[in-house]
DNA sequence: TTAAATAGTTCGGTATACGAAATATTTGGA
DNA sequence: TCCAAATATTTCGTATACCGAACTATTTAA
């Protein structure tokens, strides 16, 4: 165990800077979903709606909305699959690819800004630790949560 | 410089686990704002609306909304300041304090889950590095961003 | 050849964010 | 003292995002 109070204190003191400054998003015209969507599609070149929804962990109707916005603003294009005409494939437009390029540059600049302040030894550790943390999250372990904190799954129904 | 492509690859591969799993929020009935609000008030015991809005970096009208929800669900109470009757003071209710206690336990469990997998040396480095990173963010430095990425500040006005 | 399954979108309701106007109270002169 | 300006907060109207359920189009399987 370690000092949770001190940590929470640090967290709350830095809330404003760390969490409400919208992070990667600070002054950009894209939301978190939109940025990840573009990076995701850039990586795989194209993606179906189902794959997309699965990847970002939202229902199809939400995925449609995210894609809609990006298509409307011409960062993505929708195409029907030739093999299965029910399937919609999302691709980056040229404008979208250009944006991804700029996004990557920006992310890179941010990272370098952080990295510049770390020693080589610290950088090495950071790399190792980051992967460990990612693995832990990926392994899907969850601590037990007190009942109160859980979302109510059962709704009351009013009868008149 | 370092390998931005590899990093973005790692990020996108882990999008689902790291970012869309709602992080601290995974199955809880509170939003990010609400959790931070309760932790914030717990720390200072009470807070005015202006202080609150300033701390979480939102306009007053938004702060009112966040407080409204928490008051409605009885985690917070609103009180008028005796000295200046314009001022509203937010405090945790007993229910709210209990919730903060549970939240802290949960955060602690998550952290320990991560910490258990790190060596002592890594833990030490993590602490040091975390503070460095926080300082960098707090120092408000920003990398230059290509014009395209910036939010349009000027809106077009339609004339009929 | 047609019912069931699959892929995606549309629609309607709900929640959140926030600017501008409104309300209430305090303060700083004339 | 009195009142206009300043301050603290809420209310209102609007815009945006999320998501379940119903719906459309297409493919599959019997």
């Amino acid at each position: 165990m370690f000092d949770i109070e001190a940590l929470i204190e640090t967290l709350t003191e830095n809330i404003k800077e760390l969490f409400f400054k919208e992070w990667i998003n600070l002054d950009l015209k894209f939301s978190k979903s939109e940025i990840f969507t573009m990076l995701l599609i850039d990586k795989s070149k194209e993606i179906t709606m189902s794959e997309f929804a699965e990847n970002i962990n939202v229902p199809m109707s939400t995925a449609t909305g995210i894609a809609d916005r990006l298509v409307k603003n011409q960062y993505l294009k929708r195409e029907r699959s030739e093999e299965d005409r029910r399937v919609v494939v999302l691709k980056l437009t040229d404008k979208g690819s250009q944006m991804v390029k700029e996004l990557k540059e920006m992310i890179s600049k941010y990272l370098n800004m952080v990295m510049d302040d770390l020693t080589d030894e610290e950088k090495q550790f950071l790399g190792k630790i980051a992967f460990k943390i990612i693995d832990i999250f990926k392994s899907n372990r969850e601590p037990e949560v007190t009942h109160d904190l859980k979302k109510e799954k059962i709704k009351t129904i009013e009868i008149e």
Side-chain angles (χ1 to χ4, degrees), chain A:
Chain A
M1 279 299 222
F2 56 98
D3 189 353
I4 180 75
E5 286 297 334
L7 184 98
I8 302 255
E9 170 114 12
T10 306
L11 270 180
T12 47
E13 264 166 21
N14 293 287
I15 283 171
K16 194 175 156 189
E17 283 77 14
L18 290 180
F19 295 99
F20 286 90
K21 235 180 168 185
E22 282 297 304
W23 190 62
I24 224 169
N25 207 12
L26 51 186
D27 196 41
L28 307 182
K29 53 186 166 189
F30 301 109
S31 73
K32 192 170 70 174
S33 310
E34 290 167 343
I35 288 177
F36 279 121
T37 300
M38 288 193 284
L39 292 176
L40 187 68
I41 298 178
D42 178 66
K43 202 184 58 147
S44 52
K45 298 308 160 204
E46 60 177 60
I47 197 172
T48 66
M49 287 304 294
S50 313
E51 287 165 355
F52 172 47
E54 220 272 318
N55 259 286
I56 64 170
N57 224 34
V58 296
M60 287 284 280
S61 55
T62 303
T64 300
I66 295 170
D68 278 349
R69 274 169 267 147
L70 287 166
V71 168
K72 190 180 69 188
N73 294 308
Q74 293 156 43
Y75 296 104
L76 295 187
K77 54 191 170 194
R78 278 191 168 93
E79 286 173 16
R80 285 274 168 197
S81 159
E82 292 303 320
E83 305 89 59
D84 183 340
R85 300 204 23 78
R86 288 170 305 181
V87 173
V88 167
V89 182
L90 296 178
K91 293 180 184 174
L92 286 172
T93 59
D94 289 344
K95 188 180 170 191
S97 297
Q98 176 60 24
M99 193 54 63
V100 166
K101 202 178 137 222
E102 288 175 21
L103 270 173
K104 282 183 182 173
E105 277 166 22
M106 200 207 57
I107 294 170
S108 171
K109 278 182 190 160
Y110 262 98
L111 281 167
N112 280 304
M113 201 171 77
V114 170
M115 290 304 193
D116 285 349
D117 270 34
L118 299 180
T119 66
D120 282 345
E121 206 184 5
E122 285 170 336
K123 277 182 214 171
Q124 273 202 316
F125 266 97
L126 186 55
K128 274 171 63 184
I129 293 169
F131 277 105
K132 274 199 179 182
I133 293 174
I134 286 173
D135 283 345
I136 291 165
F137 273 90
K138 281 179 82 167
S139 74
N140 238 342
R141 274 176 269 165
E142 269 190 41
E144 267 109 70
V145 173
T146 318
H147 175 71
D148 280 12
L149 280 170
K150 292 274 188 182
K151 233 175 216 154
E152 277 302 331
K153 304 274 177 182
I154 300 160
K155 293 209 176 141
T156 54
I157 297 165
E158 287 182 23
I159 299 168
E160 9 192 332

